Amino acid sequence: MIDAHLDRAATVLVVDDNPHVLDGMRKLLESGGYRVLAAANGRAALSLLRSGERPGLVILDLAMSGMDGWDFRAEQLRDERLAGIPVIVASADPLAPLAHNMGVSAVMVKPVDPKKLLEAVASATLPAPQPHS
């Protein structure tokens, strides 16, 4: 039987409006053993999350049409069911470093180094250590 927490932790939602970036991240993350979900903007990502998907992590671009990453993160934090899902920002937005103020796990500037991204994902999706009894 698969541990439900580990299975959830191994799922990553990538939110980016560039199909080439989505495809590249999907290939990279799948090569690292992750299950990948994709959304083309913040609104699509929220819809996916509110439909019951619970990834262990969101990788979020900030500059997108429809609903950008800033608005997605604000909405995510307002929804108690979604607020606990960790977020890594991967963006070319010059203001991306300010995303640290929104409680994200990491901010990476595009183009993202694949090895560093996989390290950040592994760090953000590891299950919390269990206290010893």
Side-chain angles (χ1 to χ4, degrees):
M1 184 171 135
I2 295 174
D3 182 319
H5 180 75
L6 292 177
D7 185 50
R8 180 186 69 79
T11 299
V12 178
L13 170 59
V14 180
V15 187
D16 198 299
D17 61 350
N18 183 324
H20 300 294
V21 171
L22 283 176
D23 188 52
M25 285 213 187
R26 176 186 305 277
K27 288 176 181 168
L28 175 66
L29 292 164
E30 287 176 348
S31 76
Y34 297 95
R35 174 179 170 245
V36 179
L37 303 171
N41 61 47
R43 192 167 323 288
L46 284 171
S47 177
L48 189 67
L49 293 173
R50 288 177 174 152
S51 76
E53 284 288 354
R54 287 295 182 273
L57 175 70
V58 174
I59 297 177
L60 180 66
D61 186 18
L62 295 173
M64 295 177 288
S65 59
M67 175 186 270
D68 67 20
W70 303 100
D71 289 341
F72 165 84
R73 182 66 174 153
E75 273 298 309
Q76 179 199 12
L77 291 172
R78 278 194 284 273
D79 188 327
E80 65 186 34
R81 299 166 301 154
L82 308 178
I85 301 171
V87 172
I88 293 174
V89 167
S91 182
D93 186 323
L95 297 177
L98 296 176
H100 283 294
N101 297 333
M102 296 189 305
V104 300
S105 299
V107 175
M108 307 188 86
V109 177
K110 288 180 180 176
V112 174
D113 177 292
K115 183 179 180 204
K116 288 183 179 176
L117 179 63
L118 285 175
E119 289 170 358
V121 169
S123 174
T125 60
L126 289 175
Q130 299 301 310
H132 298 303
S133 351

